[in-house]
Amino acid sequence: MRYALFGCGAVSVHLRRAAELAGAELVCTVDPRDARDHARHYRDMNRALEDHCPDAAIVATPHHVSCGLTAELLRRGIHVYQEKPIARTTRQ
């Protein structure tokens, strides 16, 4: 399984745990504000998805971003692990 990590603030736990998954490969990290020391870090979601075509994504972004990002990933057929509640309100 090839996966991308969206949201790089204080996520070292995700990187460590995911690295322990047999058959899982982190193909890129994506965060417009944070440039991690990952060789394939992107600030732009579309570019990351075009370059790496992940099977799945871990979404560890702030609440105001999570809902729209998760919806877009699902529209593209990418499996999503949502770290937090997907939205702040039932309407979202």
Side-chain angles (χ1 to χ4, degrees):
M1 174 184 71
R2 298 167 36 84
Y3 72 96
L5 173 63
F6 288 82
C8 294
V11 295
S12 59
V13 67
H14 292 298
L15 293 173
R16 282 196 309 271
R17 294 291 180 223
E20 297 170 359
L21 297 172
E25 175 191 2
L26 176 63
V27 295
C28 64
T29 58
V30 183
D31 191 314
R33 296 174 297 145
D34 194 356
R36 288 287 161 164
D37 292 334
H38 188 272
R40 294 162 287 187
H41 179 80
Y42 290 79
R43 293 179 183 268
D44 178 79
M45 174 191 80
N46 292 316
R47 179 75 188 268
L49 296 176
E50 288 170 12
D51 286 357
H52 297 286
C53 303
D55 304 307
I58 296 173
V59 176
T61 58
H63 291 296
H64 70 279
V65 176
S66 295
C67 187
L69 173 59
T70 298
E72 179 58 27
L73 291 168
L74 292 171
R75 270 193 288 277
R76 292 178 184 226
I78 297 171
H79 300 277
V80 176
Y81 169 77
Q82 179 68 41
E83 178 198 48
K84 302 175 183 122
I86 192 168
R88 295 186 308 180
T89 67
T90 55
R91 183 174 183 166
Q92 287 178 318

